[in-house]
Coordinates of all heavy atoms in Angstrom, one line a residue:
H188 N 6.2 7.0 -15.3 CA 6.3 6.4 -14.0 C 6.0 4.8 -14.1 O 6.7 4.1 -13.4 CB 5.2 7.0 -13.1 CG 5.6 8.3 -12.5 ND1 5.1 8.7 -11.3 CD2 6.4 9.2 -13.0 CE1 5.6 9.9 -11.0 NE2 6.4 10.3 -12.0
G189 N 5.2 4.4 -15.0 CA 4.9 3.0 -15.2 C 6.2 2.3 -15.6 O 6.6 1.2 -15.2
R190 N 7.0 3.0 -16.5 CA 8.2 2.4 -17.0 C 9.3 2.3 -15.9 O 10.0 1.4 -15.7 CB 8.8 3.2 -18.2 CG 7.9 3.0 -19.4 CD 8.5 3.7 -20.6 NE 9.6 2.9 -21.2 CZ 10.2 3.2 -22.4 NH1 9.8 4.3 -23.0 NH2 11.1 2.4 -22.9
I191 N 9.3 3.4 -15.1 CA 10.2 3.4 -13.9 C 9.9 2.3 -13.0 O 10.8 1.5 -12.6 CB 10.1 4.8 -13.2 CG1 10.6 5.9 -14.0 CG2 10.9 4.7 -11.9 CD1 10.3 7.3 -13.5
R192 N 8.6 2.1 -12.7 CA 8.2 1.1 -11.7 C 8.6 -0.3 -12.3 O 9.1 -1.2 -11.6 CB 6.7 1.1 -11.4 CG 6.4 0.4 -10.1 CD 4.9 0.5 -9.8 NE 4.4 1.8 -9.5 CZ 4.7 2.6 -8.5 NH1 5.5 2.1 -7.5 NH2 4.1 3.8 -8.4
A193 N 8.4 -0.5 -13.6 CA 8.7 -1.8 -14.2 C 10.2 -2.1 -14.1 O 10.6 -3.2 -13.8 CB 8.3 -1.8 -15.7
V194 N 11.0 -1.1 -14.4 CA 12.5 -1.2 -14.3 C 12.9 -1.6 -12.9 O 13.9 -2.4 -12.7 CB 13.2 0.0 -14.8 CG1 14.6 0.1 -14.2 CG2 13.2 0.1 -16.3
L195 N 12.2 -1.1 -11.9 CA 12.6 -1.3 -10.5 C 12.3 -2.8 -10.1 O 12.8 -3.2 -9.0 CB 11.8 -0.4 -9.5 CG 12.2 1.1 -9.7 CD1 11.3 1.9 -8.7 CD2 13.7 1.4 -9.4
G196 N 11.6 -3.5 -10.9 CA 11.3 -4.9 -10.6 C 10.6 -5.1 -9.2 O 9.7 -4.3 -8.9
A197 N 11.1 -6.0 -8.4 CA 10.5 -6.3 -7.1 C 10.4 -5.0 -6.2 O 9.5 -4.8 -5.5 CB 11.3 -7.4 -6.4
A198 N 11.5 -4.2 -6.3 CA 11.6 -3.0 -5.5 C 10.5 -2.0 -5.9 O 10.1 -1.1 -5.1 CB 12.9 -2.4 -5.6
G199 N 10.0 -2.1 -7.1 CA 9.0 -1.2 -7.6 C 7.6 -1.3 -7.0 O 6.9 -0.3 -7.0
R200 N 7.3 -2.4 -6.5 CA 6.0 -2.6 -6.0 C 5.6 -1.7 -4.9 O 4.5 -1.1 -4.9 CB 5.8 -4.1 -5.5 CG 4.4 -4.6 -5.5 CD 4.3 -6.0 -4.9 NE 5.2 -6.0 -3.7 CZ 5.8 -7.0 -3.2 NH1 5.7 -8.1 -3.8 NH2 6.6 -6.9 -2.1
D201 N 6.5 -1.5 -4.0 CA 6.3 -0.6 -2.8 C 6.9 0.8 -3.0 O 6.8 1.6 -2.1 CB 6.7 -1.2 -1.5 CG 5.9 -2.5 -1.2 OD1 4.8 -2.5 -1.6 OD2 6.5 -3.4 -0.6
A202 N 7.7 0.9 -4.0 CA 8.4 2.2 -4.2 C 7.4 3.3 -4.5 O 6.4 3.1 -5.2 CB 9.4 2.1 -5.4
R203 N 7.7 4.5 -3.9 CA 6.8 5.6 -4.2 C 7.5 6.5 -5.2 O 8.6 6.9 -5.1 CB 6.5 6.4 -2.9 CG 5.4 5.7 -2.1 CD 5.0 6.3 -0.9 NE 6.2 6.3 0.1 CZ 6.1 6.8 1.3 NH1 5.0 7.5 1.7 NH2 7.1 6.8 2.1
I204 N 6.8 6.7 -6.3 CA 7.3 7.5 -7.4 C 6.5 8.8 -7.4 O 5.3 8.9 -7.7 CB 7.2 6.8 -8.7 CG1 7.8 5.4 -8.6 CG2 7.9 7.5 -9.8 CD1 7.7 4.5 -9.8
L205 N 7.3 9.9 -7.2 CA 6.6 11.2 -7.1 C 6.8 12.0 -8.4 O 7.8 11.7 -9.1 CB 7.3 12.1 -6.0 CG 7.5 11.4 -4.6 CD1 8.1 12.5 -3.6 CD2 6.3 10.8 -4.1
Y206 N 6.0 13.0 -8.6 CA 6.2 13.9 -9.8 C 6.6 15.2 -9.2 O 6.0 15.7 -8.2 CB 4.9 14.0 -10.6 CG 5.1 15.2 -11.6 CD1 5.9 15.1 -12.7 CD2 4.5 16.4 -11.2 CE1 6.0 16.2 -13.5 CE2 4.7 17.5 -12.1 CZ 5.5 17.4 -13.2 OH 5.7 18.5 -14.0
G207 N 7.5 15.9 -9.8 CA 7.8 17.3 -9.4 C 8.0 18.2 -10.7 O 8.5 17.7 -11.7
G208 N 7.6 19.5 -10.5 CA 7.8 20.4 -11.6 C 6.5 21.2 -11.8 O 5.5 20.7 -12.4
S209 N 6.5 22.4 -11.2 CA 5.3 23.3 -11.3 C 4.0 22.7 -10.8 O 3.0 22.9 -11.4 CB 5.2 23.8 -12.8 OG 6.3 24.6 -13.1
V210 N 4.1 21.9 -9.7 CA 2.9 21.4 -9.1 C 2.2 22.6 -8.4 O 2.8 23.3 -7.6 CB 3.2 20.3 -8.1 CG1 2.0 19.9 -7.3 CG2 3.8 19.1 -8.8
V211 N 1.0 22.7 -8.6 CA 0.1 23.8 -8.0 C -1.2 23.2 -7.7 O -1.5 22.0 -8.1 CB 0.0 25.0 -8.9 CG1 1.3 25.8 -9.0 CG2 -0.5 24.6 -10.3
T212 N -2.1 23.9 -7.1 CA -3.4 23.4 -6.7 C -4.2 23.0 -7.9 O -5.0 22.1 -7.9 CB -4.2 24.5 -5.9 OG1 -4.1 25.7 -6.6 CG2 -3.7 24.7 -4.5
D213 N -4.0 23.7 -9.0 CA -4.8 23.4 -10.2 C -4.4 22.1 -10.9 O -5.2 21.6 -11.7 CB -4.6 24.5 -11.3 CG -5.4 25.7 -10.9 OD1 -6.2 25.6 -10.0 OD2 -5.1 26.8 -11.6
N214 N -3.2 21.6 -10.7 CA -2.9 20.3 -11.4 C -2.7 19.1 -10.5 O -2.5 18.0 -11.0 CB -1.7 20.6 -12.3 CG -0.4 21.1 -11.6 OD1 -0.3 20.8 -10.4 ND2 0.4 21.8 -12.2
V215 N -2.6 19.3 -9.2 CA -2.3 18.2 -8.3 C -3.3 17.1 -8.4 O -2.9 15.9 -8.3 CB -2.0 18.7 -6.9 CG1 -3.2 19.2 -6.2 CG2 -1.4 17.6 -6.1
R216 N -4.5 17.4 -8.5 CA -5.6 16.3 -8.5 C -5.4 15.4 -9.7 O -5.5 14.2 -9.6 CB -7.0 17.0 -8.4 CG -8.0 16.1 -7.8 CD -9.4 16.6 -8.0 NE -9.8 17.5 -7.0 CZ -10.4 17.2 -5.8 NH1 -10.5 15.9 -5.5 NH2 -10.8 18.1 -5.0
A217 N -5.3 16.0 -10.9 CA -5.1 15.2 -12.1 C -3.9 14.4 -12.0 O -3.8 13.2 -12.5 CB -5.1 16.1 -13.3
L218 N -2.8 14.9 -11.4 CA -1.6 14.1 -11.3 C -1.8 13.0 -10.4 O -1.5 11.8 -10.7 CB -0.4 15.0 -10.8 CG 0.1 16.0 -11.8 CD1 0.9 17.2 -11.1 CD2 1.0 15.4 -12.8
M219 N -2.4 13.2 -9.2 CA -2.5 12.2 -8.2 C -3.6 11.1 -8.6 O -3.6 10.0 -8.1 CB -2.9 12.8 -6.9 CG -1.8 13.6 -6.2 SD -0.3 12.7 -5.8 CE -0.9 11.5 -4.6
A220 N -4.4 11.5 -9.6 CA -5.4 10.5 -10.1 C -4.7 9.4 -10.9 O -5.3 8.3 -11.1 CB -6.4 11.2 -11.0
Q221 N -3.5 9.6 -11.3 CA -2.8 8.5 -12.1 C -2.3 7.4 -11.2 O -1.8 7.7 -10.1 CB -1.6 9.1 -12.8 CG -1.9 10.3 -13.8 CD -2.8 9.8 -14.9 OE1 -2.7 8.7 -15.4 NE2 -3.7 10.7 -15.4
P222 N -2.4 6.2 -11.6 CA -2.1 5.1 -10.7 C -0.7 5.0 -10.2 O -0.4 4.5 -9.1 CB -2.5 3.8 -11.5 CG -2.7 4.3 -12.9 CD -3.0 5.7 -12.9

Side-chain angles (χ1 to χ4, degrees):
H188 279 209
R190 291 185 80 170
I191 294 169
R192 200 179 300 286
V194 159
L195 294 177
R200 204 187 42 211
D201 295 328
R203 280 179 294 181
I204 308 177
L205 315 183
Y206 166 78
S209 296
V210 173
V211 289
T212 48
D213 284 349
N214 56 27
V215 66
R216 209 191 270 277
L218 286 161
M219 292 299 294
Q221 302 296 328

